[in-house]
Amino acid sequence: MINLETLHANYNSQGVVGPEDADARKLLVRRREFEDYCSAKSREIEEQRQSWRYYHVDQWTADQLKILKKRSQPPMTFDRTGRKIDSLSGTIRRLRTDPKAYPNTPNGEQGAEVATQVIRTINDASFAEDLEVECCRDALVHGIGVSELVLGQGDHGDPDLRFDYVDPRTFFYDPRSLRTNFTDARFHGVYKWADVDELESLVEGSAELVKDALNNDGGYWTAFDTDRENLWVDSRNRVRLVDHWYKRGGMWRWCLHTGNVELMAGDSPFFNERGMSISKFAAFANMIDIDGDHYGFIRRLRGPQDAMNQHRSKSIHIMNTRQIKIQEGAVDDIEVTRREAARPDGTLVYRGDKSALEVIQPESEFLQQTEYYQDAKAEIDTFGPNQQLIQEFGQNVSGRAANLLQQAGLAELGPFLKNFRMWKLERYRACWCAAQRYWTGERFLRVTGDAGVAQFMAINSVELDQYGLPMLVNMLGNIDVEIKVDEGPDTETVMGDVFDLLMGLSQNNVPVPPQLIIEASALPLSEKKKLQGMLAQPDPTKQQAQAAIIQKTMAEANLANAQAGKAQADAGKAQTAGLLNVAKARTEGMPEGGPDPKTPLDYAQQMAEINETNATAEHKRASARSLDHRALVTPLQLLADHSQRNADRFGASIEQLANRNVDTFHRMADRAVDDFHRGQDRASRERVARFAAANRPRPQV
């Protein structure tokens, strides 16, 4: 049944359209749109039905089962397709990360944190992780994943926002759409059965309006309805309810109708960041073939799955089958002998020698069937993420190792992961724009810290500044951000390389400041500020130790000064004693030839030698400080060189890709010109041939 709770939430404020106001012409257009979808997508719908049957281990057709029954061959089913789909969806779920908003202005870090928390709050209220797994599985099997954005009744004076799951088997769309994100679709919607009582609770008086369309699908019918028709075995009155969204004049509109009666209508309440109207449905496709049909990975797995089932069934049939080689007249009844040979405890009665009766076991054919089975099994097992990724990604591995495992295992899923990621980005941006438009009242968002203590962030609130004047805080309408999803990257980012390089230098005992490592990490901005603030705060123990060291140093300096003063006094005393001895020697008539007293020039030379010694020591100390500074600057220089090499490599890759695209464009243009000329030549030859045939003289009778 249709989600009436969602309809209440989105349409309760809209007016009810009576039969006298209904635009019959508009209903005819809406009916024609659905009929176009049913007729153009009949083959796609049939393939999707078959894909769901393969996923649910219903892999033998009725004709195949009849043939196997005639052969007495068991219909064995070894399901690998459903297990592979579940494995892919589980692996993609493990790679999921929360969305993050980045500022578009220099002073928008705080606004980015608020936007990130708003989007995550809406996702948590919608159980978005489980919803994304369901839509991922739908895209892998059905080929299309769909969700819708819902405006619900809120308790803060403004509506609440959440995402709801949409069954793709009830989803219809513009058959001309060829883009994986359905941005080129002019209409889409959901069609389901609904009870009249439920419809009356949604729109008062609707039971009277639809009384002529009870138990009638109104022409809104696809092959999926035949699969679930047996669920409506009771005689309750039901009606086909269609939630139809269409684009007219650049504006998305919606109408709720039964095919013959329009119950409600209005304009879309959702807009994007550019102010353009958008639909509430967000859909993405897995793959689109050359005919424009959407399909999932079951198309690739169906062949190997059929081969597994058929080869295993044939192998068991061969094991239970015997061929008998009988000489004419060796047995009385051939049919009795055949039945006994097929039994494991059978008894074969024959006359003559033993060569007259031989039971043949086709062992070579059994081995061939087994080998074919193993090839088909390996074809399914090696598709998508390998077993090594599934086993090792959950272990304690580094970020670089995990990234390499992702690249190796998810390379085959590149297009699907791109479509899935863009779909999530579209949903996140839509809910953020809706929150900016409809969340006008004050509310508090719960934020969980590392210590497990509940914290709250206020949005759209008013506080008093330092002067006592009212001030707006975290107004959603004034925040300009860009939303991104960092998950399952195909290549490592430059900051990731910088972080790995810093960690390598730190592990090799190179002095790397902790602030630099924190800045290069992938932590949120708030966590970076918190950790850097913790590093900036002084440690009391270290402060006491440093104070003790300073006091000890000052005491040692005072002691050294005292010792130097004492030494200077001793030197002065010695100098005075020397002068006194010289004077005594002169007065006492010492013999000539004694040492001459030092002149002022000798003292000046001695002081020059002392100064030179001090300068040499200062130069050595300066050289040591230079080496220390160079050791600190070397990691930064290595980082700068590494970043420059990455930038050069990225520029060369971009230039090479651009040249390759230009060459491809020229080749395609040349090919188109050649095809045009060949077509013109072929048309000219045909015209000449027709002209010659027309002018050829007819034979006379």
Side-chain angles (χ1 to χ4, degrees):
M1 294 182 297
I2 204 161
N3 193 341
L4 298 180
E5 202 176 293
T6 299
L7 294 177
H8 269 299
N10 283 343
Y11 306 147
N12 199 25
S13 61
Q14 305 293 336
V16 178
V17 180
E20 63 278 5
D21 300 327
D23 190 352
R25 182 178 177 183
K26 183 174 68 174
L27 282 179
L28 290 177
V29 175
R30 304 287 83 80
R31 177 184 292 275
R32 189 178 303 113
E33 289 175 348
F34 184 84
E35 292 174 352
D36 292 342
Y37 165 77
C38 294
S39 60
K41 295 297 181 179
S42 59
R43 187 176 64 175
E44 175 185 321
I45 293 173
E46 188 60 35
E47 181 181 0
Q48 291 167 348
R49 294 179 63 220
Q50 189 176 7
S51 298
W52 282 110
R53 292 190 178 278
Y54 267 76
Y55 176 76
H56 293 296
V57 203
D58 185 6
Q59 300 169 1
W60 292 96
T61 64
D63 295 337
Q64 290 175 341
L65 292 176
K66 290 180 180 179
I67 295 175
L68 295 181
K69 186 176 181 180
K70 290 181 180 179
R71 297 178 183 172
S72 297
Q73 181 175 337
M76 305 298 298
T77 302
F78 282 72
D79 179 56
R80 285 276 174 172
T81 300
R83 295 175 58 187
K84 174 57 68 173
I85 295 298
D86 293 339
S87 174
L88 292 177
S89 60
T91 302
I92 295 172
R93 178 174 184 172
R94 294 169 66 180
L95 299 179
R96 181 187 183 275
T97 58
D98 291 329
K100 185 177 182 181
Y102 294 86
N104 286 334
T105 57
N107 299 324
E109 290 84 0
Q110 180 65 26
E113 291 288 335
V114 174
T116 300
Q117 192 58 41
V118 167
I119 298 173
R120 292 182 179 179
T121 300
I122 296 175
N123 286 339
D124 293 340
S126 309
F127 301 98
E129 184 175 357
D130 298 332
L131 185 145
E132 290 172 3
V133 172
E134 290 287 333
C135 294
C136 176
R137 185 201 61 176
D138 292 341
L140 294 175
V141 178
H142 191 89
I144 300 175
V146 192
S147 69
E148 62 176 337
L149 183 60
V150 178
L151 284 172
Q153 185 67 31
D155 54 356
H156 301 280
D158 48 16
D160 286 337
L161 293 167
R162 72 175 189 274
F163 296 108
D164 272 348
Y165 169 77
V166 176
D167 190 349
R169 286 165 287 193
T170 63
F171 181 73
F172 67 93
Y173 59 91
D174 189 351
R176 297 170 297 179
S177 176
L178 296 178
R179 295 183 182 177
T180 55
N181 57 358
F182 293 90
T183 55
D184 55 343
R186 300 289 299 178
F187 67 88
H188 51 216
V190 175
Y191 62 99
K192 293 183 179 180
W193 287 108
D195 291 332
V196 175
D197 296 337
E198 296 175 334
L199 191 61
E200 182 69 23
S201 63
L202 175 64
V203 181
E204 186 177 356
S206 59
E208 182 66 23
L209 297 177
V210 301
K211 62 181 181 179
D212 296 333
L214 294 180
N215 300 321
N216 185 7
D217 57 18
Y220 290 88
W221 176 88
T222 64
F224 283 115
D225 290 316
T226 60
D227 298 333
R228 301 182 178 181
E229 182 65 25
N230 57 348
L231 300 179
W232 294 84
V233 296
D234 55 5
S235 59
R236 288 188 298 177
N237 294 327
R238 59 177 181 170
V239 65
R240 178 71 77 183
L241 194 60
V242 183
D243 189 7
H244 204 127
W245 287 64
Y246 59 96
K247 193 173 184 180
R248 187 173 65 183
M251 184 74 180
W252 276 96
R253 305 174 183 272
W254 61 268
C255 64
L256 189 66
H257 61 91
T258 62
N260 298 322
V261 178
E262 182 179 284
L263 301 176
M264 306 172 71
D267 297 336
S268 173
F270 303 110
F271 299 86
N272 59 13
E273 61 273 10
R274 296 183 298 274
M276 301 175 61
S277 175
I278 60 175
S279 172
K280 71 170 183 177
F281 293 108
F284 76 102
N286 185 350
M287 294 289 180
I288 303 177
D289 61 13
I290 57 176
D291 297 325
D293 291 338
H294 302 70
Y295 66 94
F297 287 148
I298 301 293
R299 177 183 289 188
R300 298 181 177 179
L301 303 177
R302 185 182 298 120
Q305 182 64 60
D306 289 341
M308 286 182 59
N309 296 337
Q310 294 173 7
H311 290 312
R312 179 57 66 184
S313 177
K314 186 64 176 177
S315 300
I316 296 177
H317 183 61
I318 292 173
M319 291 175 57
N320 298 330
T321 303
R322 306 291 188 274
Q323 294 180 351
I324 305 176
K325 182 179 179 182
I326 306 175
Q327 184 177 359
E328 187 176 359
V331 297
D332 296 332
D333 193 340
I334 296 178
E335 294 299 328
V336 173
T337 305
R338 179 185 300 173
R339 289 194 299 269
E340 291 296 326
R343 295 175 57 184
D345 58 346
T347 302
L348 301 178
V349 179
Y350 65 97
R351 62 178 63 91
D353 57 0
K354 62 179 181 179
S355 61
L357 177 62
E358 180 180 0
V359 179
I360 303 174
Q361 183 74 22
E363 298 180 356
S364 61
E365 185 178 357
F366 174 78
L367 295 177
Q368 290 178 356
Q369 296 292 339
T370 304
E371 291 176 359
Y372 295 153
Y373 169 82
Q374 295 296 335
D375 292 340
K377 178 175 175 294
E379 181 70 19
I380 296 179
D381 291 341
T382 56
F383 176 74
N386 51 43
Q387 196 68 21
Q388 181 183 6
L389 171 67
I390 299 174
Q391 292 177 354
E392 296 186 9
F393 188 79
Q395 299 177 2
N396 187 16
V397 297
S398 64
R400 181 184 293 271
N403 191 22
L404 294 177
L405 286 174
Q406 292 177 19
Q407 294 179 12
L410 301 176
E412 289 187 86
L413 306 182
F416 170 78
L417 292 178
K418 184 266 297 182
N419 299 337
F420 187 51
R421 180 175 178 272
M422 295 304 296
W423 170 73
K424 290 194 292 185
L425 276 176
E426 181 182 356
R427 293 169 59 248
Y428 297 152
R429 290 169 180 168
C431 74
W432 167 243
C433 293
Q436 284 185 304
R437 178 177 291 269
Y438 294 106
W439 280 10
T440 57
E442 181 181 8
R443 64 172 64 207
F444 293 90
L445 306 181
R446 186 178 185 274
V447 182
T448 303
D450 295 336
V453 180
Q455 301 176 359
F456 294 91
M457 175 187 295
I459 61 173
N460 297 329
S461 63
V462 179
E463 296 180 359
L464 299 179
D465 59 6
Q466 56 183 347
Y467 304 105
L469 299 177
M471 176 182 60
L472 299 178
V473 178
N474 296 334
M475 297 299 294
L476 299 186
N478 299 330
I479 298 177
D480 184 15
V481 294
E482 180 182 1
I483 302 170
K484 292 184 179 180
V485 178
D486 299 329
E487 67 172 287
D490 293 333
T491 57
E492 295 180 76
T493 60
V494 176
M495 291 305 296
D497 291 338
V498 172
F499 179 76
D500 292 340
L501 179 60
L502 290 176
M503 293 300 297
L505 293 175
S506 178
Q507 293 174 0
N508 292 327
N509 299 324
V510 177
V512 180
Q515 293 84 353
L516 189 59
I517 297 178
I518 295 174
E519 185 64 28
S521 66
L523 295 172
L525 180 61
S526 59
E527 297 297 330
K528 290 182 180 180
K529 291 182 178 179
K530 184 190 299 183
L531 294 177
Q532 290 176 353
M534 294 172 61
L535 291 177
Q537 293 178 357
D539 190 357
T541 305
K542 291 184 178 180
Q543 283 185 338
Q544 294 177 1
Q546 290 177 357
I549 293 174
I550 292 174
Q551 292 177 0
K552 181 180 179 181
T553 304
M554 292 179 63
E556 291 176 353
N558 294 331
L559 179 61
N561 291 332
Q563 292 176 353
K566 181 180 179 181
Q568 187 176 4
D570 293 340
K573 182 178 180 181
Q575 184 178 5
T576 304
L579 293 175
L580 181 60
N581 292 333
V582 170
K584 288 181 178 180
R586 287 180 179 179
T587 57
E588 294 177 357
M590 291 181 62
E592 297 181 359
D596 296 333
K598 293 184 179 181
T599 63
L601 181 62
D602 295 334
Y603 285 110
Q605 184 178 0
Q606 186 177 3
M607 291 299 296
E609 292 176 354
I610 293 173
N611 291 333
E612 182 180 1
T613 303
N614 292 333
T616 303
E618 184 64 27
H619 177 70
K620 291 181 179 179
R621 287 193 293 270
S623 300
R625 288 194 297 269
S626 176
L627 292 176
D628 293 337
H629 293 165
R630 187 177 303 171
L632 294 175
V633 174
T634 299
L636 300 179
Q637 184 64 35
L638 291 175
L639 290 176
D641 296 340
H642 185 72
S643 300
Q644 184 63 34
R645 286 196 300 271
N646 284 339
D648 296 339
R649 190 181 301 114
F650 179 74
S653 301
I654 292 298
E655 183 178 0
Q656 183 180 2
L657 181 61
N659 295 333
R660 187 180 304 167
N661 291 335
V662 171
D663 295 340
T664 303
F665 174 77
H666 286 301
R667 286 197 300 270
M668 295 299 293
D670 295 339
R671 185 179 303 170
V673 171
D674 293 340
D675 293 341
F676 175 76
H677 286 302
R678 283 197 298 270
Q680 293 296 324
D681 294 341
R682 189 182 301 110
S684 299
R685 289 194 298 270
E686 291 178 356
R687 287 195 298 269
V688 170
R690 287 196 298 270
F691 180 77
N695 294 332
R696 186 181 299 116
R698 298 181 179 178
Q700 297 181 358
V701 181

